[in-house]
Amino acid sequence: MIRRALVFGASFVGLGFLVLPVVAIFARVPPGRLVSQLGNPAVTDALVVSLKTTLTAQALILLVGTPTAWLLAHRFRGREALVTLVELPLVLPPAVAGLGLLAAFGRTGLLHTSIPFTQTAVVLAVSFVASPLYVRAAIAAFEAVDPNIVAASRTLGAGPTRTFFRVVVPLARTGLVAGAALAFARGLGEFGATIMFAGSLRGRTQTLSLAVYSQFDIDFDTALAVGALLVVVSAALLITLKWLSSISTSSFRFATSS
């Protein structure tokens, strides 16, 4: 009984600690206030910038990250070092990530570009910090694909490209969808690297996360409303991810049994 009480007590404290801050946001921001803030020009501008840059970054992550993950899913000398480099942005302090992007793409950086403090800079910052989440999930998904099925496809005359898109990707789709959703959520909430590399220019580089910081000293209720909006979007992403995963798993089982 004592052990069970301790387990329930620790669980209650842990869940309460995780849930309380979210509940507190909505306790201060009633639904009517949240809806009305969607018409606030500062919020609208930040929402447009966030959606535009995050969706662009997501497309870039999928386009580049998928073949990268497929390559890293195979065993070869030096693979572990490359995987470590891919995962490095996950543990880098966000400010250091922003400084690194400035050092690489700044006017006085290695490539001498004019990218900093533009929407392109936001896209690159989001891609840099969010892509490892997708690549890691994609590597695991590709490693789980039965190589015998891939070999059978090649034996039946399908080329590497057709095998990849018609066999490998459908079998790995659950992991790919999960990784894409995690990367999108991480990109939508990106702050540190973005403010260092792109700044916080309203209507240009100020995303929803940066708008929270900007409004914090001006109008705390507006900052809370933007935060509540991000919570709603994040929760919707999680629910959608679980739904897609269940559908993907069911479809795969149906296709296998048939």
Side-chain angles (χ1 to χ4, degrees):
M1 289 295 294
I2 296 178
R3 182 181 301 175
R4 182 177 299 179
L6 290 174
V7 170
F8 278 107
S11 301
F12 179 80
V13 172
L15 290 173
F17 175 73
L18 295 175
V19 172
L20 185 61
V22 177
V23 173
I25 291 176
F26 288 96
R28 288 286 301 270
V29 185
R33 172 72 170 170
L34 174 59
V35 174
S36 66
Q37 283 302 315
L38 294 178
N40 186 321
V43 177
T44 304
D45 291 343
L47 179 60
V48 171
V49 172
S50 288
L51 290 177
K52 182 178 179 180
T53 55
T54 305
L55 288 173
T56 303
Q58 187 74 1
L60 184 62
I61 289 170
L62 294 177
L63 182 64
V64 177
T66 303
T68 300
W70 176 239
L71 172 66
L72 294 178
H74 296 81
R75 301 288 175 176
F76 56 88
R77 180 173 296 181
R79 172 185 179 271
E80 294 303 323
L82 291 177
V83 171
T84 300
L85 289 175
V86 168
E87 295 175 341
L88 187 59
L90 289 175
V91 297
L92 278 181
V96 175
L99 283 176
L101 290 169
L102 273 174
F105 299 100
R107 294 180 185 276
T108 58
L110 293 178
L111 301 182
H112 304 286
T113 71
S114 56
I115 290 177
F117 307 106
T118 65
Q119 283 194 3
T120 302
V122 180
V123 172
L124 291 180
V126 170
S127 300
F128 184 76
V129 301
S131 58
L133 291 172
Y134 174 73
V135 174
R136 286 182 65 184
I139 290 174
F142 287 142
E143 286 179 334
V145 174
D146 188 346
N148 292 324
I149 298 178
V150 177
S153 174
R154 296 298 306 276
T155 302
L156 293 173
T161 302
R162 187 177 182 185
T163 297
F164 179 75
F165 285 105
R166 297 294 298 273
V167 177
V168 176
V169 171
L171 290 175
R173 63 184 177 272
T174 300
L176 298 180
V177 170
L182 289 173
F184 185 83
R186 176 65 181 89
L188 193 63
E190 161 52 27
F191 177 84
T194 303
I195 200 170
M196 293 290 292
F197 185 45
S200 182
L201 307 175
R202 179 176 163 182
R204 188 176 176 186
T205 65
Q206 188 177 90
T207 61
L208 285 172
S209 297
L210 297 178
V212 172
Y213 182 77
S214 176
Q215 293 294 323
F216 182 76
D217 291 329
I218 301 173
D219 187 345
F220 186 64
D221 286 342
T222 300
L224 280 173
V226 179
L229 178 61
L230 283 170
V231 171
V232 170
V233 173
S234 299
L237 280 173
L238 284 176
I239 294 171
T240 302
L241 172 60
K242 293 178 181 297
W243 177 67
L244 288 175
S245 296
S246 64
I247 290 179
S248 180
T249 303
S250 300
S251 300
F252 175 72
R253 288 175 180 170
F254 177 79
T256 303
S257 62
S258 60

